[in-house]
Amino acid sequence: MSTATRTDFDAELRRHNEVLRRACGIQSGEHVLDIGCGTGQTTRQAARKARAGSALGVDLSAPSIEHARQLASAEKLRNITFEHADAQTHPFPQDHFDLAISRFGTMFFADPAAAFANIRRALRPAGRLVMMVWQARDHNEWIVAIRRALEITDASGADAAGELNPFSLADPPAVTELLEAAGFAEVTFTDVHEPVYYGADIAAALAWIHGFTCTSETLKRLDHAAAERAVTRLRTTLAAHTREDGVWFDSRAWIVTARCR
């Protein structure tokens, strides 16, 4: 393993994070809801921008929320809170938030119609939604290259283990219809063409990719020799994407914005 900084989602999405931050345009007095906040990087950024307002981060992962609280406490942020909650069903205060944001945290709703309706109820009448989601799988080199190395050939968007599809919000007409039905209007899509960072070197990137469900589940199904061959193919793929500043893969995402109707 590399001795460099361990790869995590914040590191992976460092370029995307800047794009989202600019797109949100958070004002000092706004109250911000961060959906699928993970360990709270985007929530902390929102709290710093909304100095006279507040930021609430929610996530389904209890360990992530606990870590987020620790990081916010270390930064002495007083206008921030975190809740271990499901944004689909959580009883947010109605008409409270000025802005709902999400960095790849809205693609896994079991019931997206109910989820976005619940988020809409939490927003004020003039409230905004700004979320980042992946474009179609075939437009994302990171998943195409990994699946090719693992010789995954099924045509579905979901991982081999049957997880919900990380590309479920890739289609603009379908997402527009979904959001309009939930009470949003003025839905727009902005192309985001930025690379994802997988680590300082091949060893770090391989460790990160091992945590992906499609990788771990595929390797579990293989016998030892086949798994070794798959890992060798992964190493070759990572070597082809290694630069002086680490391992990077091309990706495409959408910034989706909408206003409450």
Side-chain angles (χ1 to χ4, degrees):
M1 170 64 71
S2 168
T3 58
T5 304
R6 179 181 176 275
T7 311
D8 58 20
F9 283 112
D10 292 341
E12 176 185 350
L13 302 172
R14 60 177 68 175
R15 300 282 288 272
H16 295 76
N17 193 63
E18 287 305 304
V19 175
L20 179 64
R21 183 183 58 79
R22 292 192 298 269
C24 288
I26 297 170
Q27 302 301 306
S28 177
E30 290 190 313
H31 299 283
V32 182
L33 170 62
D34 188 4
I35 304 153
C37 67
T39 58
Q41 182 187 47
T42 47
T43 323
R44 298 194 305 278
Q45 289 173 343
R48 289 192 290 269
K49 284 288 186 180
R51 294 181 300 276
S54 67
L56 167 63
V58 298
D59 199 277
L60 283 171
S61 168
S64 292
I65 288 295
E66 180 57 33
H67 191 198
R69 288 171 176 153
Q70 293 170 1
L71 291 172
S73 177
E75 292 186 23
K76 295 182 169 54
L77 293 170
R78 306 302 183 194
N79 62 336
I80 191 169
T81 55
F82 292 97
E83 293 191 27
H84 176 216
D86 185 348
Q88 297 180 104
T89 57
H90 186 69
F92 296 112
Q94 190 167 346
D95 299 335
H96 176 74
F97 297 97
D98 300 286
L99 172 64
I101 68 173
S102 182
R103 188 186 69 186
F104 300 111
T106 55
M107 300 97 64
F108 302 106
F109 291 134
D111 187 345
F116 285 111
N118 194 43
I119 293 164
R120 167 61 187 86
R121 283 190 293 271
L123 288 167
R124 292 175 176 170
R128 298 176 293 133
L129 171 69
V130 180
M131 63 181 181
M132 183 173 276
V133 301
W134 294 119
Q135 291 188 28
R137 186 182 72 189
D138 290 347
H139 295 169
N140 280 280
E141 181 187 46
W142 56 273
I143 190 66
V144 171
I146 292 170
R147 288 169 65 91
R148 184 182 296 123
L150 294 171
E151 297 184 344
I152 300 173
T153 58
D154 68 278
S156 71
D159 283 338
E163 276 197 339
L164 292 173
N165 184 358
F167 310 101
S168 65
L169 298 178
D171 181 51
V175 174
T176 298
E177 182 178 356
L178 174 67
L179 292 178
E180 288 179 345
F184 291 95
E186 302 177 33
V187 183
T188 67
F189 294 79
T190 302
D191 179 46
V192 179
H193 189 187
E194 295 285 356
V196 289
Y197 173 77
Y198 276 8
D201 54 30
I202 293 173
L206 187 62
W208 180 239
I209 289 172
H210 262 290
F212 294 7
T213 302
C214 66
T215 306
S216 60
E217 292 298 324
T218 297
L219 293 177
K220 282 180 189 176
R221 291 196 301 271
L222 300 176
D223 62 38
H224 179 74
E228 286 294 315
R229 290 193 295 271
V231 171
T232 297
R233 291 193 300 270
L234 278 174
R235 289 183 181 276
T236 300
T237 297
L238 295 172
H241 289 82
T242 300
R243 312 185 318 202
E244 287 186 2
D245 58 345
V247 182
W248 297 81
F249 283 85
D250 193 34
S251 78
R252 299 300 281 262
W254 294 119
I255 287 281
V256 185
T257 66
R259 288 190 176 274
C260 294
R261 193 170 55 225

